[in-house]
Amino acid sequence: YLTKAADQTNLESYVIGGFVRDFFLNRKKKDIDIDVVAVGSGIELAKKTAQLLPHQPKVQVFKNYGTAMLKAFDIEIEFVGARKESYAENSRNPEVEQGSLEDDQNRRDFTINALALQLNQDHFGKLLDPFNGLEDLQQKLIKTPLAPSLTYSDDPLRMMRAIRFAAQLNFKIENESLAAIESNSQRLKIVSKERLISEFNKIMLTEKPSKGIKLMHKTQLLGLLLPELTQLQGIDEVDGQTHKDNFWHTLEVVDNISKETNNLWLRWAALLHDIGKAPTKKFSKRNGWTFHGHEYIGAKMVFKLFKRLKMPLNDKMKYVQKLVLLSSRPIAIVDEEVTDSAVRRLIFDAGNHLDDLMILCEADITTKNPKRFKRYHNN
Ligand code: CTP
């Protein structure tokens, strides 16, 4: 249908971006999105495609952006006109004008996302790959088409995307890009929280989330997004006594739990399970290093963190809070006289999530004896 539409409208048209990348990687996905770029009007191509499709779907037109979208056979197809973008020195918003396919490929984030396959019958399947994206796919490399600092400062979300793709595809980010991410890291502040969290959650859902989180740490992005975590880093020593580095420990717990569950929020609970330890850390001659009450403080910090990052303060947040509160010392907590009624309520309906709590305790390699807690609870 796309080919027919391209020929009938006489528009040079291509499939581009993620679909082409995943096609060459032979990567199967649940939801298929296709990005189509027309040299000329993407909206016209979308309307023609809709006309030709048997069910003649509705076309959503975004006139301001010159783009259109339709759904066919459960596939979302987005149409754009090839664009040339230039950023005026004193403006954050790009000036957009019509361009060639190559102009459009130039403004894309990574070489592996700039591959285009032609749709028109006469050249059907012809690959246009001006930046050797195919080679980078084979070499497993994340590289930008233009100078990295330009690509990242134009659109700072791409710093998170680079790390997300490296984590999802198990690729390496080329050194020049890594350096550019680090030097542009402060620009992350201008990106909306929702978009940042959406990328971060994709990292959290990879097989080994520590890979992406370590890259965020190395490039300074982690401290900007989740300072609660980076504050856990480091080991203090007084009188020859030390404590474990709770940052690196946390990454281990997140990887451990990711082997057991794809539940994003249980993975978040693992990520945040020790955050109360930075503000509660104390040393005394008698007791050595202690983190008294860190689970209560941690649960409060979960609320603040969700709020700051504009994540919904719904039952997911409460679930994470509850697990953070209970994960550290499940036995002691239940044994203790707890007077705070809000905390008591959280403890007594832990039963709803008992299995998840057990998975977390077992992933937290330092928690002693989670099975005893289960027995206790059952009794
Ligand atoms: N793109 C870009 N810069 C961004 C976002 C997107 O250049 N900040 C371009 C890339 O060419 C990308 C395409 O738009 O391939 C589509 O973006 P998106 O749908 O967000 O991602 P995909 O690459 O399709 O990957 P996924 O579906 O895994 O999110």
Side-chain angles (χ1 to χ4, degrees):
Y1 296 103
L2 288 167
T3 296
K4 263 195 200 152
D7 285 349
Q8 287 183 23
T9 50
N10 232 344
L11 285 163
E12 191 187 318
S13 310
Y14 301 85
V15 186
I16 196 165
F19 179 81
V20 183
R21 177 198 68 225
D22 291 339
F23 169 77
F24 282 113
L25 286 174
N26 209 358
R27 188 163 171 247
K28 304 272 179 301
K29 282 214 292 218
K30 258 197 287 164
D31 304 309
I32 304 179
D33 302 327
I34 301 183
D35 291 301
V36 173
V37 49
V39 182
S41 166
I43 296 172
E44 189 189 340
L45 185 67
K47 287 184 173 160
K48 180 49 103 186
T49 308
Q51 245 178 45
L52 294 170
L53 279 160
H55 61 299
Q56 304 191 339
K58 240 182 81 184
V59 182
Q60 253 180 296
V61 175
F62 307 94
K63 230 174 163 184
N64 292 347
Y65 299 96
T67 65
M69 216 263 291
L70 63 80
K71 239 183 148 162
F73 316 108
D74 263 344
I75 298 174
E76 248 180 41
I77 313 179
E78 198 174 317
F79 297 81
V80 303
R83 275 180 285 186
K84 192 175 178 168
E85 273 174 18
S86 54
Y87 287 78
E89 191 123 318
N90 48 7
S91 156
R92 239 171 62 190
N93 297 324
E95 285 163 24
V96 182
E97 51 181 297
Q98 201 182 322
S100 64
L101 175 75
E102 193 152 344
D103 291 328
D104 199 89
Q105 286 171 302
N106 266 319
R107 64 165 195 94
R108 296 198 173 250
D109 52 2
F110 307 115
T111 59
I112 60 167
N113 285 343
L115 297 164
L117 290 172
Q118 194 159 0
L119 286 163
N120 308 73
Q121 189 64 57
D122 286 350
H123 301 279
F124 187 80
K126 179 172 159 199
L127 175 67
L128 284 102
D129 178 16
F131 311 109
N132 291 323
L134 201 55
E135 201 179 306
D136 293 337
L137 271 184
Q138 278 150 4
Q139 309 265 338
K140 296 173 164 266
L141 260 190
I142 306 288
K143 235 162 124 175
T144 56
L146 304 178
S149 57
L150 205 68
T151 300
Y152 296 120
S153 93
D154 278 356
D155 178 358
L157 178 71
R158 290 173 169 174
M159 302 191 283
M160 284 293 288
R161 284 174 61 90
I163 293 173
R164 186 259 285 191
F165 284 119
Q168 272 182 333
L169 305 173
N170 203 14
F171 275 33
K172 193 173 154 352
I173 301 176
E174 65 151 7
N175 287 336
E176 224 184 304
S177 246
L178 266 185
I181 295 176
E182 187 170 348
S183 57
N184 283 287
S185 56
Q186 292 295 326
R187 292 190 52 80
L188 202 71
K189 293 178 184 157
I190 66 168
V191 182
S192 82
K193 303 284 189 297
E194 288 85 350
R195 296 175 82 194
L196 290 177
I197 287 301
S198 155
E199 293 299 326
F200 185 74
N201 282 344
K202 288 179 183 171
I203 294 173
M204 284 298 282
L205 285 170
T206 58
E207 207 179 309
K208 197 174 173 208
S210 69
K211 177 175 171 156
I213 300 172
K214 281 180 190 168
L215 280 170
M216 285 179 66
H217 188 46
K218 189 175 164 165
T219 52
Q220 313 293 330
L221 299 186
L222 190 64
L224 290 164
L225 190 70
L226 296 166
E228 295 86 347
L229 276 185
T230 47
Q231 277 152 18
L232 291 176
Q233 201 195 344
I235 299 176
D236 289 320
E237 184 182 333
V238 180
D239 294 345
Q241 295 193 59
T242 57
H243 57 82
K244 70 172 186 283
D245 185 312
N246 285 302
F247 176 69
W248 297 105
H249 160 74
T250 292
L251 297 193
E252 252 181 286
V253 179
V254 172
D255 282 350
N256 285 345
I257 209 159
S258 302
K259 289 180 201 140
E260 305 300 321
T261 177
N262 291 325
N263 176 344
L264 174 66
W265 301 106
L266 188 44
R267 291 180 177 204
W268 263 98
L271 185 74
L272 304 181
H273 82 284
D274 269 349
I275 51 171
K277 283 193 172 170
T280 55
K281 179 158 85 176
K282 277 202 182 70
F283 180 85
S284 72
K285 276 206 153 59
R286 218 172 108 207
N287 301 319
W289 290 104
T290 57
F291 304 89
H292 280 313
H294 78 84
E295 42 284 275
Y296 305 109
I297 303 286
K300 283 189 185 150
M301 288 169 75
V302 168
F303 174 79
K304 285 197 185 142
L305 183 152
F306 268 62
K307 201 165 163 198
R308 184 186 77 239
L309 296 175
K310 304 218 161 68
M311 289 155 79
L313 298 173
N314 55 12
D315 47 334
K316 303 287 186 244
M317 190 282 294
K318 291 204 184 103
Y319 164 88
V320 174
Q321 234 184 354
K322 200 178 293 179
L323 289 171
V324 167
L325 178 66
L326 295 173
S327 67
S328 292
R329 300 182 302 143
I331 306 159
I333 272 189
V334 178
D335 277 337
E336 252 168 35
E337 275 282 300
V338 179
T339 47
D340 181 329
S341 65
V343 175
R344 268 174 57 164
R345 224 173 306 126
L346 280 174
I347 291 173
F348 284 110
D349 54 49
N352 298 337
H353 305 297
L354 194 61
D355 291 341
D356 293 350
L357 184 58
M358 287 304 109
I359 294 172
L360 179 54
C361 291
E362 275 165 36
D364 185 355
I365 44 206
T366 60
T367 300
K368 303 280 184 326
N369 222 342
K371 296 216 169 63
R372 223 183 98 204
F373 172 61
K374 193 163 195 167
R375 266 205 315 278
Y376 187 105
H377 185 93
N378 290 343
N379 287 343

